[in-house]
């Protein structure tokens, strides 16, 4: 029997590269934690209906990309394809919005699943860190979230990304625009599928990536020219706040994004070193989503950043994150008694917060020292029976090669001081 392989469109995160993924998640989360966002975790699957209603029946995510299934008990579930609908569902269910303390600001990190055509930067299992500010309509929140994402990318050292910004209007002005756009689109030479899309979700046609479609879209009516006064003022305020914060953005009148629930502010972070899968993150305002999933009116804004593509962006810019060594001290014992005593010392060091590993399995001195060097540790602790009889161990600086004897009861304090 041949061995198993990871399912198509997925990959495993293995050391040492996995440390970069953890560091990226941490870098995205840090500015959020620092800005009043609380951590939320929701199940990896939900009732399929939540996504059908929350993400939109006409979106690719729901029609083509969702892993939906029926359980033995007859429940219709789906692996989560995105985070916002789940987070809002959880906030509503727990009545977080009723505490009189709006907005509810939450951040999350986890796995998402979409049945897509696998290619570089596009997987069937991927990882996002996201943030949502629920229940308040305030351009400061829209700006805050964009600024925090910008800060996260910059803290990783990324430079070659751009912020695309647009407004999708609201329930007052978007329908008027939708009619005008439909009139325009019906006059074009388009395939069956796209013609159907004109009737269900015409804005998505603007998002079509095919050159022959984009060519025909030149001259399409733009939402920018149809925004109501309220939406216009709101958008100008978001733009002004970003400019005041020194965050550069580009107005992109054709940016609509894949989800149905966006209103007003919509944005995307694109990286120029990633080829076709250039979006590293995106988000926007979703004032109508709560009502779509049965809640009260709760104007909200949020984003999700893709961890996988952010790691690819780091590679594209040649950035190696300064990931701290996993092991500071590596212990090598000669003989069983020495190993027992050294293991006690290792446990003591670990309790004291010193990252410590050791040679296992009766390795020779030579193999033990090889393992010590491979571990990336700064120091090796070496002990044979004779050292221990004298109440000492050998401490070797693996960078300088210097070695000295150290009293057993001084090991922890000495190493803590040297590694501080
Ligand atoms: P795309 O247009 O590339 O399909 P999207 O609009 O579907 O992206 P969102 O739903 O906005 O993506 O998700 C936010 C981020 O999650 C994306 O910017 C991307 O970085 C990441 N992402 C989305 N789908 C995938 C995927 N299949 N594989 C890897 N990352 C993904
Ligand atoms: Mg997509």
């Amino acid at each position: 029997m041949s061995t198993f392989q990871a399912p198509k469109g997925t990959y495993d995160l293995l050391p040492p590269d996995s440390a970069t993924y953890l560091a990226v998640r941490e870098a995205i989360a840090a500015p959020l934690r620092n800005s009043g966002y609380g951590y939320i975790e929701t199940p990896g699957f939900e009732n399929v209906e939540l996504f059908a209603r929350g993400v939109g029946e006409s979106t690719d995510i729901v029609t083509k990309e969702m892993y939906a299934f029926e359980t033995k008990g007859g429940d219709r579930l789906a692996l989560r394809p995105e985070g916002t609908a789940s987070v809002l569902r959880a906030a509503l269910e727990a009545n977080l919005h009723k505490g009189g303390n709006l907005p509810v600001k939450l951040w999350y990190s986890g796995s998402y699943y979409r049945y897509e055509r696998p290619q570089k930067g596009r997987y069937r299992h991927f990882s996002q860190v996201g943030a949502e500010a629920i229940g308040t309509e305030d351009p400061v929140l829209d700006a805050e979230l964009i600024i925090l994402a910008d800060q996260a990318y910059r803290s990783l050292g990324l430079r070659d990304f751009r912020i695309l910004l647009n407004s999708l209007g609201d329930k007052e002005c978007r329908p008027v625009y939708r009619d005008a756009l439909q009139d325009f689109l019906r006059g074009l030479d388009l395939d069956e599928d796209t013609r159907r899309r004109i009737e269900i979700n015409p804005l998505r046609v603007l998002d079509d990536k095919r050159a022959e479609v984009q060519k025909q879209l030149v001259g399409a009516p733009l939402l920018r020219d149809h925004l109501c006064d309220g939406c216009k003022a709101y958008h100008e305020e978001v733009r002004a706040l970003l400019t005041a914060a020194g965050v550069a953005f580009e107005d992109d009148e054709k940016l609509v994004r894949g989800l149905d629930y966006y209103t007003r502010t919509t944005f995307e972070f694109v990286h120029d070193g990633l080829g076709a899968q250039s979006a590293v993150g995106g988000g926007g305002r979703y004032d109508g989503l709560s009502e779509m999933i049965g809640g009260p009116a709760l104007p909200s804004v949020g984003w999700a950043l893709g961890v996988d593509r952010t790691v690819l962006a780091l590679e594209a810019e040649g950035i190696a994150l300064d990931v701290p060594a996993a092991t500071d001290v590596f212990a090598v014992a000669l003989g069983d008694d020495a190993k027992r005593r050294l293991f006690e010392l290792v446990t003591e060091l670990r309790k004291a917060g010193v990252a410590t590993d050791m040679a296992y399995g009766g390795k020779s001195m030579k193999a033990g020292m090889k393992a010590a060097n491979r571990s990336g540790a700064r120091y090796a602790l070496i002990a044979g029976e004779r050292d221990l009889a004298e109440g000492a161990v050998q401490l070797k600086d693996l960078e300088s090669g210097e070695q000295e004897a150290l009293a057993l009861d001084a090991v922890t304090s000495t190493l803590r001081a040297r590694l501080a």
Side-chain angles (χ1 to χ4, degrees):
M1 201 176 90
S2 59
T3 54
F4 290 108
Q5 294 184 326
K8 184 175 173 189
T10 72
Y11 63 102
D12 303 305
L13 288 182
L14 305 169
D17 296 348
S18 50
T20 303
Y21 282 74
L22 280 181
V24 165
R25 289 194 186 106
E26 180 51 37
I28 300 172
L32 297 169
R33 270 201 215 102
N34 195 40
S35 309
Y37 290 76
Y39 179 67
I40 182 170
E41 207 168 304
T42 63
F45 50 82
E46 297 275 352
N47 278 309
V48 68
E49 203 47 35
L50 174 71
F51 300 120
R53 273 201 265 157
V55 178
E57 305 266 16
S58 71
T59 61
D60 282 352
I61 290 182
V62 169
T63 56
K64 297 184 194 149
E65 299 172 3
M66 204 152 59
Y67 284 91
F69 58 99
E70 193 174 315
T71 66
K72 291 195 175 81
D75 293 329
R76 298 270 306 135
L77 304 176
L79 300 185
R80 59 184 182 189
E82 59 100 48
T84 302
S86 309
V87 168
L88 191 56
R89 192 270 306 142
L92 290 169
E93 189 174 334
N95 285 320
L96 299 186
H97 59 296
K98 286 189 183 155
N101 199 14
L102 297 176
V104 178
K105 299 210 290 186
L106 300 167
W107 75 274
Y108 59 87
S109 173
S111 290
Y112 295 86
Y113 308 87
R114 294 184 194 174
Y115 188 74
E116 302 214 57
R117 197 165 69 75
Q119 49 204 295
K120 184 158 191 185
R122 190 175 296 287
Y123 311 105
R124 291 180 173 178
H125 164 260
F126 58 99
S127 170
Q128 291 183 337
V129 178
E132 318 288 352
I134 297 164
T136 305
E137 191 179 80
D138 185 339
V140 169
L141 277 176
D142 306 43
E144 168 176 299
L145 278 163
I146 294 171
I147 291 166
L148 292 176
D150 181 76
Q151 199 183 321
Y153 288 137
R154 288 190 186 281
S155 78
L156 287 165
L158 291 171
R159 292 291 174 268
D160 300 340
F161 66 90
R162 292 175 291 129
I163 301 172
L164 309 179
L165 185 69
N166 194 19
S167 171
L168 292 179
D170 62 9
K171 56 180 185 282
E172 189 189 325
C173 54
R174 188 147 87 199
V176 183
Y177 168 69
R178 196 175 182 274
D179 287 346
L181 182 63
Q182 276 177 327
D183 279 348
F184 173 86
L185 294 173
R186 283 183 194 122
L188 301 183
D189 177 23
L190 297 165
D191 60 276
E192 258 321 293
D193 250 13
T194 312
R195 298 196 77 78
R196 240 191 322 272
R197 183 169 277 174
I198 295 173
E199 306 310 319
I200 308 167
N201 193 345
L203 271 73
R204 291 289 325 282
V205 179
L206 295 177
D207 201 22
D208 201 309
K209 303 280 190 300
R210 292 170 297 180
E212 68 270 24
V213 176
Q214 279 302 325
K215 211 161 56 200
Q216 295 193 66
L217 292 175
V218 177
L222 293 175
L223 190 48
R224 182 186 55 196
D225 305 319
H226 289 75
L227 288 182
C228 61
D229 289 342
C231 285
K232 229 181 268 173
Y234 194 96
H235 196 56
E236 281 316 310
E237 184 63 16
V238 174
R239 296 176 79 257
L241 290 165
L242 291 176
T243 303
V247 171
F249 57 88
E250 295 169 24
D251 293 306
D252 181 351
E253 291 84 10
K254 286 198 177 145
L255 181 71
V256 295
R257 308 198 18 79
L259 284 60
D260 271 359
Y261 53 57
Y262 286 112
T263 50
R264 288 197 168 168
T265 312
T266 183
F267 50 87
E268 202 160 85
F269 291 82
V270 294
H271 192 277
D272 292 322
L274 296 186
Q277 272 60 250
S278 63
V280 286
R285 184 155 272 288
Y286 49 94
D287 292 345
L289 177 59
S290 175
E291 286 154 294
M292 277 188 229
I293 63 170
L298 282 174
S300 306
V301 57
W303 51 240
L305 309 189
V307 175
D308 311 73
R309 288 187 197 169
T310 303
V311 171
L312 291 174
L314 288 171
E315 282 167 22
E317 288 198 41
I319 299 168
L321 294 184
D322 201 9
V323 183
T327 303
D328 289 324
V329 177
F330 197 96
V332 182
L334 267 182
D336 287 344
D337 285 342
K339 189 166 160 193
R340 236 169 263 131
R341 185 64 192 91
L342 205 57
F343 181 50
E344 280 174 34
L345 204 55
V346 165
T347 303
E348 187 182 313
L349 281 165
R350 288 172 174 168
K351 273 190 198 153
V354 178
T356 309
D357 202 355
M358 65 183 285
Y360 304 94
K363 277 196 174 75
S364 69
M365 185 69 193
K366 195 171 160 211
M369 287 311 290
K370 210 166 152 188
N373 281 311
R374 212 169 16 214
S375 76
R378 174 69 196 271
Y379 295 102
L381 272 182
I382 307 155
E385 318 285 299
R386 210 175 40 207
D387 295 312
L388 290 170
E390 288 164 13
V393 288
Q394 300 291 321
L395 178 68
K396 182 171 183 181
D397 184 327
L398 293 171
E399 256 170 45
S400 68
E402 275 167 44
Q403 189 167 320
E404 63 193 291
L406 207 59
L408 277 173
D409 55 8
V411 168
T412 301
S413 56
T414 304
L415 282 171
R416 274 183 76 161
R418 293 210 188 159
L419 289 163

